[in-house]
Amino acid sequence: MYGIKQKTLGSKIFTLIIQLVYLTLAFYLIASSDLTNVVSYALYFCLLITFIRLNAMSFIWLPRGISWKEALGNSTAFAIYYIGFPLFAIYHHSSFSMSMYLIGIALFLIGSFINTASELLRKPFKDDPANKGKLYTGGLFKYAIHINYFGDVLWVAGFALVTLNWWAMIIPIFLLLLFMFSYIPNADKYLLGKYGKQFEAYQKITKKLIPFIW
């Protein structure tokens, strides 16, 4: 996921098409289900915001290259988000929980904001030639080295709660473990190799993932 400089339009278009297929299927599943309107509308909202945000990031806001390996991996994750969460909601038969629902919406919005804002605040720094070779530690990244991943965990957890099915929390828990034991160690290794002492100093005073905690 790091260091891909060349344009990779083919892999990006592939992920866009895959998402459109998933989104269409998800909308069909929700529309043909017996879900209450309040849950259906929340699912539509979360699906659309996720689709718009991910693709705006990929094609407009942060148009970096992605490898075919990453594109295929992302497509698997998209299947879990776009199809998995609606299925969890559809096959849930317990009573409606307003607190679970509202917490889910709040976490989804907060996580989406953190993930997107952290990246966009970093973009001007990265685009400035004067900052070449410098490590960015400002914006939301002053609260955690991988604050963007933290945002991912929050919005996925929020999406899971909106389904009103506790089993859906398996997905954000798995994502958190994936970040902790795979993505973050690999990212830290990359950043240490690229920035050396700058990153070492940053590590000493900054939490890894969860602000003020870890």
Side-chain angles (χ1 to χ4, degrees), residues 14-199:
F14 170 79
T15 59
L16 175 61
I17 293 173
I18 286 292
Q19 287 180 77
L20 287 171
V21 171
Y22 292 156
L23 194 63
T24 301
L25 179 57
F27 273 41
Y28 170 78
L29 290 171
I30 297 168
S32 59
S33 72
D34 59 354
L35 290 170
T36 61
N37 285 339
V38 68
V39 175
S40 294
Y41 293 154
L43 290 172
Y44 288 139
F45 173 77
C46 290
L47 286 166
L48 283 174
I49 292 298
T50 300
F51 176 80
I52 293 170
R53 191 172 59 82
L54 292 180
N55 288 285
M57 190 73 74
S58 178
F59 287 95
I60 302 172
W61 296 334
L62 292 174
R64 69 172 180 82
I66 63 171
S67 67
W68 277 102
K69 180 179 179 181
E70 184 178 355
L72 293 172
N74 287 344
S75 298
T76 301
F78 295 153
I80 295 172
Y81 302 146
Y82 288 109
I83 307 300
F85 285 135
L87 288 176
F88 273 117
I90 290 169
Y91 291 104
H92 174 256
H93 301 289
S94 298
S95 59
F96 180 79
S97 171
M98 180 60 74
S99 59
M100 185 176 181
Y101 179 82
L102 293 178
I103 291 171
I105 293 293
L107 286 179
F108 178 83
L109 292 174
I110 293 169
S112 297
F113 172 79
I114 290 174
N115 180 260
T116 300
S118 63
E119 298 283 8
L120 294 182
L121 289 172
R122 179 169 59 178
K123 181 174 170 55
F125 178 90
K126 301 291 285 185
D127 288 344
D128 187 346
N131 294 322
K132 186 176 182 180
K134 296 179 181 179
L135 176 66
Y136 178 72
T137 61
L140 298 182
F141 284 93
K142 66 184 177 182
Y143 299 108
I145 297 172
H146 305 285
I147 192 70
N148 49 340
Y149 291 166
F150 178 62
D152 278 329
V153 173
L154 289 184
W155 76 256
V156 174
F159 206 157
L161 290 176
V162 165
T163 69
L164 303 179
N165 186 342
W166 283 110
W167 285 105
M169 288 300 294
I170 292 172
I171 296 175
I173 289 172
F174 175 79
L175 181 64
L176 176 61
L177 294 175
L178 187 65
F179 282 148
M180 291 175 64
F181 297 106
S182 179
Y183 279 39
I184 288 177
N186 288 332
D188 285 352
K189 182 178 179 181
Y190 168 82
L191 292 169
L192 181 61
K194 183 173 183 179
Y195 296 106
K197 293 187 181 299
Q198 290 183 68
F199 184 66

